[in-house]
Amino acid sequence: GKLWFFGGIHTNNAISDIGWLNDLWNYDPESNVYTWMGGSPEINPSGVFGTKGEASVGHIPGPRSSAATWEDEEGNFYLFGGYESFQYNNDLWKLNPNTLEWTWLSGNSFQNTPGSYGTKGRADADNLIGARRYLNAEVDSQGNVWFFGGQGYDSEAQFGYLNDVWKYDPVSNEWTWMSGPNLINQAPN
């Protein structure tokens, strides 16, 4: 019954004082209380990636806003992409809210990564969704996560608006390009 919040943009009403956050909070609507659960109280902190697939209370995603989020059937929270300091992410994280351990699952520890599309409809360990923000994520009945569009990087490292569809399988930890173009700013069909 609690709400969870991660990161965002901080400003003191001046563009020169803008910064990104990686703080983790939960809100209990019953008691009307916010609780700081982790991350840095400072603006523009560094993330701590560790090793892919290894959970730790010492790991934390870098600051960001405009990321996609969802929850799995076990109550774990997921965070993908977003942007900070006008740079775009394609890292995927899982948070166990009971242990407060973060796990870096996929993507890169650096920003502005182009997509590695592979063959449409075929999962592959080399496939990777490009860095982006403003995308939509939905979980299907098998636990796969479907992503659509956003603003970010295509297969040729060009920046713009995307209308591609991706599927992420959390069991195999693989991405599949399912539909749409692999280039930016394409007209609908």
Side-chain angles (χ1 to χ4, degrees), residues 48-164:
V48 179
F49 283 79
T51 302
K52 280 184 187 172
E54 290 183 12
S56 172
V57 293
H59 298 164
I60 184 86
R64 68 196 63 211
S65 66
S66 309
T69 60
W70 66 95
E71 181 181 357
D72 68 16
E73 289 183 357
E74 287 94 40
N76 297 303
F77 299 111
Y78 292 80
L79 175 75
F80 171 80
Y83 84 125
E84 61 141 322
S85 301
F86 306 99
Q87 304 293 312
Y88 294 76
N89 300 297
N90 79 331
D91 50 343
L92 171 61
W93 291 84
K94 177 174 78 171
L95 170 70
N96 180 326
N98 298 313
T99 64
L100 296 179
E101 292 180 318
W102 284 98
T103 306
W104 173 32
L105 298 173
S106 179
N108 296 311
S109 61
F110 52 89
Q111 297 167 316
N112 301 335
T113 302
S116 179
Y117 284 73
T119 303
K120 200 178 279 187
R122 184 177 303 154
D124 190 302
D126 292 332
N127 292 352
L128 188 60
I129 187 172
R132 60 187 71 200
R133 68 174 176 172
Y134 301 145
L135 67 156
N136 188 41
E138 296 292 332
V139 181
D140 68 20
S141 60
Q142 287 82 40
N144 298 306
V145 186
W146 292 76
F147 297 87
F148 174 74
Q151 181 185 36
Y153 290 87
D154 68 8
S155 62
E156 296 181 354
Q158 297 299 307
F159 178 79
Y161 292 99
L162 300 153
N163 62 342
D164 50 354

Side-chain angles (χ1 to χ4, degrees), residues 11-29:
T11 182
N12 284 335
N13 298 322
I15 291 296
S16 61
D17 197 20
I18 194 168
W20 279 260
L21 304 166
N22 76 338
D23 52 345
L24 177 68
W25 292 81
N26 76 27
Y27 170 71
D28 185 341

